[in-house]
Every structure is written in structure tokens, then in C-alpha cells.
């Protein structure tokens, strides 16, 4: 099977997908209610889309193609309001967070759809254990080669995005010590990690053809890379973020990605090199484990500093672009939180640390997401 | 030689040993049921019938009377838990759930009454059976959903409708029996008695809820002390309510719902109560066959089966008619109707209580209820379990 051609898309257009948790309002454990929520949502007139995901206690909501932060925020807010109304009717709790704090993976069941059953047969328990919840952001690219430049350039910002979105310290009822433990579930898949270092689309097509000939992959969907090109949309898709606890934070992170993309596309500040990836997995691990406090090794200078400092420096570089895109104000708020070392994992740990039980914590997560508060 | 230090022959074991053997047999019957893929409660119910006058005759109605407190307490505990799961906020948000419940109950009452009147049971028996048929077994429903760790929209509705069914059935039967036996001589009584029956449990429920929330501040409900406090609270409530001639079982249910309303945090059932409750459920089922004798079963079989059939049609029809507007699809609405089938020891107790007050009337009522409970106590749990597995709301059991 050959790779589809890279569709054209408006440069820097934006699309956001959020995988959400569906929980019971009795015990706040995950509950199989996706089908019912989807049925109720199908009758509503909302922007974007609501789709099933791998297991019956998750759904994916996505915005349409947006121009800027304001539009993303507006569409996500409309989706949140509609989902909340439907969920209240059905007695379901909806919340953000990269993992559910105490669910037992063996109790999950696969959503009844051929692709999900195929994946479940192939991956076995990994498929159920993959009940984790991420935010994906699509960025429109003017052409396929530009997409690959953006992909490799953006991969330097993976630790930043992990630390900003981290919201999964708890897995199976225990604090993992990680700021984002969700990504550990993703790494278990054989085709996870990063895209190969190729700079032109023809090289990428050749790589895909070789992989496809081995029979290991059939489509781009089989790759679980941190960032992957999506030829049918003409975008690159950034997939490392945990689903934040609020839609406002999800919108702010999307705005940050758009501003970085504009900076990369217009200034072309980086000379790409395969050696950039020498520090990639180390940096990513540090961000997952320690969040803002993690170490970040610069791919060229090999200078080490904290992820928080690195994020702060990046805000200075992209400031002009943020102003052009109209998202400087929200990025300012995000930066303020970075300076205070605040992310959703910190919010969760504060509560559980003060003695709140995990079911109560999930209840608060639901109130926070469904209530539509500030990030 | 002093004879008192040596055992007498035959050994004077008294009543304890048979109870012990019966208890283990009931437990094993549940395990046997599980191994062939049936709900444990079906095994318990079968054991209860075998141990009763129908086959082995180890227990009879006198035993039921002497163990009555244990059975009442078990059901009170279960209704309290069921009440905590009844989220009144949700019922306010989605009024269609209440409409579905009301529709299903009205249909059950009217159809059962109509069918029984047609076959000539007499108006009084037809009304009483109809009131009991409105109910659904809380013991079976909570046991089956716990066994499957079921969760989802069908399960939520099943438990909510069960709670409402129990409440309405208890009040309805008390009222009807009062009316039928013209306790309400004079209009003042006719007005006051229903009011007393409604407001009494509400007030008692509010008191229990307040006491529980107060105790929760003093002791951790997950500790031994918390468990003891909860048990004491329910026992006190039962004592007080029986003295006030109010339905003892309604107040714990109402108390649970008030607690969830006042404090929506997850009230997770302490592990220890789960264990204690599990054992009590086995004891309850062990005794559940005590009222089932061959004579009664055969006397009531014909009408009982008719009532079972009509009740099944009414519950299914009600659930399917009102389920979809409340946000369930047709398949899950069907599962909801099927899930509401079980009828068990609570129904027997309702009939038995009527007999205690009005022996002649009770003797005509009990056989029909016994026949219904035999069928729906054995097959009802299987129906509920299959319905929940069918809509894939089980978190334990076969996984796919």
C-alpha cells in the first residue's frame, strides 16, 4: 500500500483533538458509556466532531479547522458545554487528565468497531492498557517538505509540551512519581517514538514504501510517533500532550504550538541534523519524569538547563509571532504558570497529598472540566 | 459418678448445627451456580427453597419470624446502599428517568390488577399482588450488579428504578391494605394515614442521614468503629420505625438518597460492610424458602404465573416506551426492562406482614406471591445478569 499524496492545507491552520475520560458518578471509576454519549451528541449541532476511541470509557472530541487561538478556544468551549449537558442527562462524569487515577486496565472493554478489535487482537493487553488520554494538535503545512522541516524542528519542543500539559501522575491507584506517566503506555508500542530523520517527502515516501513492503505497517495510522505527518489532512500532528484538566489549557497549549510553528516556518532558525535526536529520548524522559524541573540538553550546544528555563527562553523567541497570531495574551498567562511551576499534575498532587481520596480527586477533575474554569 | 461431665446420647445439638450446615450448603449452592455461569444469588435462592418446607423442611415460617430481625437488617443495609446510589440531582436534571419509572410502575400496577381481577381472585388480592408486583428485588439487583461490577447508563437506571419501585411498592401496599380493611373509618383517618406513611419515613430518613453524616465526622466509615456505628444506626432506626408502625425499610433508602444529595462525594461502601453484607445475604436467602410449602406453591401457581407474565410484559413495555426519551437506546431499554425482573424476599416479607395482620386475607395472598417469588427469585437474577452482559456494562466476568 503506498502513501497517499500530501493534501494541501492552509499554512498554520489549527485543529485540536482531546481524548476524554468517561466515569461513573457513583464511584468515579471509568464506565462504559461512550456509546450513549455519542448517541446523544449526534443529535446536537456542535462544531467539530465527537468520535469513539479504543475502549468504551473514552471518547475523542475534535475541533474543525481553525485559524487561531480564539477560534480553537471558542469551539472547544462549545464542545465542552454540549458534552456537559449530555453527560448530566446521562449521569456520566467527563474529565481531563492523561490517565485515570485508579482504573484497573483489565476491566476495560474494547469499543465495538472493526479497527479497534483488530488492534486489540494484535496488541493484546497493550490495547486495554492504552486507556490513556492525550491531546493531539494538527498544524497545517504549505507543502510536504515544509511539513517535514516543521516536524523535526518541533521535536525540539517536545519536552516543553510534555511539562506544560502533564496531568497523569497516577496510574492504577498509585503515584508513579512521573509528571506524565501516560507516555510510558505509549512507549510500549513497537512503532512508537519518533519519525525517521528524512528531510524530503520523496525520501519519506521511500521509507514508508520499505516499511510497507515488510508488512509491518499498512497506513500512517500504524505509527504511534510523537509527531507524525498526516498526508490526508496536509498537516503534522503533535501527539505528546496529556489531555489537560481544562479546555482553556488545551487551547493555550494549541496556541503555543501554533506560535512555535510560525516561528519555525518563517524564520527557519534551525539547521536540521540527525544528531539532534541524540538527546531526544533523554530530554523527553526528563520532562515526563520531572516536568518543569527536568533537565533539557540543547541538541546543538549540549548545554544543560531546566525545562522551565528552556520554556521561558522559547517564549522570548516566539513573542513576535504570538502577537501576529493574536495569542500573546494567553501565552503570557501560560508563562506565568511556568514561572510558578504550576501544571495539572501539581494541581492533582496538591489535593491527593492533602489527604483527598483518588475517587474524590476524579470527582473534582470532573467538576473542573465540566465547569469550564480557567486553566 | 457425675453424669454431667459426659455427653448425653443422642447428642443434644439443638438448632445451631442445622443452621450451620444450611448456611454452608447455601453458600456452596451459590458457588456451584457461579461455576456454571449463573449469578450466585440464583444458587442461594435455590438452596433456600430446597431447605424450606418444599423439600427438606429444615426451616418454616416460624423460623422466618424468629430470624426476622436479621433479614430486616440485611435488607435495610442494602436499601441504605441503594439509596446512596440514587442520585437525586440526576433525577432532577433528567426528569424522563422519573417519567420512565412512573410509567413502568403504573403499567405494572394496572395490568397486574386487571389480569388478576379477570381471573377472579377478588379485588383485594388483585390490588395487593399488583402493589407487590410494582417492586423489584433490591437484594438481587445489588448482588448481581456488584458481582459483575457493572457500571454504565443501563446499570444506573436499573438501580434508580429499583429504588423507586421498592419505595412505591412499600407505600402502596400499606395504603391499599389499610383502605381494604377500612382502617380508615372516617375521612380524617383516610387523609391522615397516607400522610403519616409518607412523611414518617421521610422524616426518619432525614434523621438517619443527619446522624450518619454526624458520625462520619467522628469516625472513619472504613474503620471497625465506623462499621459498628453504621450497624447501630440502622438497628436503632428499625427499632424506632417498627414502634411507630411505619414501613421499616423505606427510611434507610430515603436516608441514603439524602446523604448523596447533601454530600455528593463518592460514598464508597467500606470493604468490611461489603463482607458483612455478603454473609447476611446468604443467611437471608437460606431463610427465603421458609415460607414456600408445596401446598401454597401449588395453590398459587396458576395465578402466580399469570402475574409473573403480566408483570414481565408491563415492565418491558414501560421500559421500552419511556427508555428512549430518557437517553437510552432501544436495546438498552429492553435490557433495563429485563433487568427489573427479579422479585424476592422483600416481596415475601410484604405478603407475610399482611398475613400477620389479616390472617384470612394473607392466606389468599401469600400463595400467589410465593409462586411469583419462586420463579422470579430463581430466574430473575439470570435475566438481570444476561441483560447487563448483553449491553456490555459488566467490568468483571467474561471480557471482550
Amino acid at each position: 500500500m503506498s502513501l497517499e499524496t500530501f493534501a494541501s492545507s492552509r499554512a498554520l491552520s489549527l485543529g485540536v483533538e482531546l481524548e476524554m475520560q468517561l466515569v461513573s458518578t457513583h464511584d468515579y471509576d471509568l464506565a462504559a458509556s461512550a456509546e450513549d454519549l455519542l448517541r446523544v451528541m449526534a443529535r446536537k449541532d456542535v462544531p467539530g466532531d465527537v468520535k469513539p476511541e479504543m475502549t468504551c470509557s473514552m471518547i475523542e472530541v475534535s475541533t474543525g479547522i481553525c485559524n487561531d487561538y480564539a477560534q480553537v478556544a471558542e469551539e472547544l468551549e462549545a464542545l465542552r458545554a454540549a458534552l456537559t449537558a449530555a453527560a448530566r442527562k446521562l449521569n456520566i462524569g467527563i474529565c481531563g487528565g492523561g490517565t485515570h487515577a485508579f482504573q484497573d486496565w483489565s476491566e476495560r472493554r474494547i469499543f465495538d468497531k472493526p479497527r479497534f478489535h483488530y488492534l486489540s487482537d494484535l496488541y493484546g493487553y497493550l490495547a486495554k492498557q492504552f486507556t490513556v488520554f492525550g491531546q493531539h494538535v494538527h498544524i497545517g503545512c504549505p507543502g510536504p517538505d515544509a511539513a517535514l522541516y516543521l516536524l523535526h524542528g518541533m521535536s525540539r519542543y517536545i519536552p516543553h509540551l510534555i511539562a506544560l500539559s502533564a496531568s497523569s501522575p497516577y496510574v492504577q491507584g498509585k503515584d508513579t512519581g512521573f509528571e506524565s506517566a501516560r507516555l510510558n503506555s505509549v512507549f510500549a508500542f513497537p512503532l512508537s517514538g519518533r519519525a525517521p530523520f528524512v528531510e524530503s517527502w520523496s525520501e519519506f515516501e521511500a521509507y514508508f514504501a520499505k516499511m510497507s513492503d515488510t508488512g509491518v505497517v499498512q497506513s500512517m495510522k500504524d505509527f504511534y510517533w510523537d509527531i507524525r505527518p498526516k498526508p490526508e489532512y496536509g498537516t503534522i500532528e503533535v501527539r505528546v500532550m496529556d489531555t489537560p484538566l481544562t479546555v482553556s489549557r488545551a487551547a493555550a497549549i494549541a496556541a503555543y504550538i501554533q506560535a512555535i510553528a510560525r516561528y519555525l516556518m518563517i524564520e527557519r532558525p534551525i539547521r536540521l541534523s540527525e544528531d539532534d535526536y541524540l538527546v531526544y529520548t533523554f530530554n523527553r524522559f526528563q520532562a515526563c519524569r520531572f516536568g518543569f524541573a527536568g533537565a533539557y540538553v540543547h541538541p546543538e550546544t549540549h548545554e544543560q538547563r531546566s525545562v522551565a528555563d528552556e520554556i521561558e527562553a522559547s517564549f522570548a523567541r516566539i513573542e513576535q509571532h504570538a502577537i501576529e497570531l493574536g495569542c500573546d495574551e494567553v501565552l503570557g498567562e501560560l508563562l506565568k504558570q511556568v514561572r510558578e511551576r504550576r501544571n495539572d499534575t501539581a494541581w492533582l498532587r496538591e489535593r491527593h497529598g492533602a489527604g483527598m481520596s483518588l475517587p474524590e480527586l476524579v470527582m473534582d477533575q470532573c467538576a473542573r472540566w465540566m465547569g469550564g474554569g480557567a486553566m | 459418678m457425675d453424669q454431667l461431665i459426659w455427653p448425653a446420647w443422642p447428642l443434644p445439638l439443638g438448632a445451631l448445627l442445622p443452621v450451620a450446615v444450611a448456611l454452608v450448603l447455601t453458600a456452596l449452592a451459590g458457588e456451584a451456580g457461579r461455576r456454571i455461569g449463573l449469578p450466585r444469588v440464583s444458587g442461594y435462592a435455590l438452596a433456600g427453597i430446597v431447605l424450606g418446607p418444599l423439600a427438606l423442611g429444615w426451616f418454616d415460617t416460624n423460623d422466618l419470624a424468629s430470624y426476622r430481625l436479621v433479614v430486616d437488617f440485611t435488607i435495610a443495609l442494602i436499601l441504605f446502599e441503594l439509596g446512596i446510589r440514587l442520585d437525586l440531582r440526576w433525577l432532577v436534571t433528567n426528569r424522563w428517568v422519573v417519567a420512565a419509572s412512573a410509567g413502568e410502575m403504573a403499567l405494572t400496577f394496572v395490568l397486574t390488577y386487571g389480569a388478576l381481577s379477570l381471573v377472579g381472585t377478588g379485588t383485594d388480592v388483585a390490588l395487593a399482588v399488583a402493589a407487590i408486583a410494582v417492586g423489584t428485588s433490591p437484594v438481587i439487583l445489588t448482588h448481581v450488579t456488584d458481582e459483575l461490577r457493572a457500571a454504565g447508563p443501563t446499570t444506573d437506571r436499573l438501580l434508580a428504578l429499583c429504588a423507586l419501585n421498592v419505595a412505591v411498592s412499600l407505600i402502596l401496599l400499606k395504603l391499599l391494605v389499610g383502605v381494604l380493611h377500612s382502617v380508615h373509618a372516617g375521612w380524617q383517618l383516610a387523609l391522615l394515614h397516607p400522610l403519616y406513611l409518607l412523611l414518617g419515613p421521610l422524616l426518619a430518613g432525614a434523621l438517619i442521614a443527619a446522624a450518619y453524616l454526624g458520625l462520619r465526622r467522628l469516625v472513619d466509615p472504613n474503620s471497625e468503629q465506623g462499621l459498628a456505628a453504621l450497624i447501630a444506626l440502622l438497628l436503632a432506626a428499625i427499632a424506632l420505625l417498627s414502634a411507630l408502625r411505619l414501613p421499616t425499610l423505606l427510611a434507610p433508602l430515603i436516608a441514603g438518597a439524602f446523604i448523596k444529595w447533601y454530600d455528593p462525594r463518592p460514598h464508597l461502601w467500606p470493604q468490611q460492610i461489603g463482607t458483612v453484607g455478603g454473609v447476611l445475604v446468604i443467611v437471608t436467602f437460606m431463610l427465603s424458602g421458609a415460607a414456600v410449602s408445596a401446598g401454597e406453591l401449588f395453590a398459587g401457581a396458576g395465578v402466580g404465573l399469570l402475574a409473573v407474565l403480566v408483570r414481565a410484559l408491563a415492565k418491558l413495555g414501560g421500559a421500552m416506551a419511556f427508555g428512549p426519551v430518557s437517553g437510552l437506546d432501544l436495546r438498552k431499554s429492553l435490557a433495563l426492562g429485563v433487568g427489573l425482573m427479579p422479585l424476592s424476599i422483600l416481596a415475601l416479607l410484604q405478603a407475610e406482614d399482611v398475613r400477620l395482620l389479616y390472617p384470612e386475607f394473607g392466606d389468599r395472598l401469600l400463595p400467589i406471591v410465593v409462586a411469583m417469588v419462586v420463579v422470579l427469585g430463581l430466574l430473575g437474577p439470570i435475566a438481570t445478569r444476561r441483560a447487563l452482559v448483553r449491553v456490555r456494562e459488566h467490568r468483571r466476568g467474561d471480557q471482550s
Side-chain angles (χ1 to χ4, degrees), chain B residues 117-134:
Chain B
S117 294
L118 280 181
V119 298
T121 54
T123 312
D124 51 353
V125 171
L127 282 174
V129 172
I132 291 174
V134 163

Side-chain angles (χ1 to χ4, degrees), chain B residues 13-29 47 51 56 58-59 63 67 279 282-283 286-287:
Chain B
L13 288 168
L16 196 56
L17 195 65
V19 170
V21 175
L23 185 60
V24 79
L25 284 179
T26 311
L28 287 176
L51 291 167
L56 296 177
W58 290 13
F59 300 106
D63 293 303
Y67 287 102
V279 176
I282 299 179
V283 174
M286 176 186 89
L287 296 164

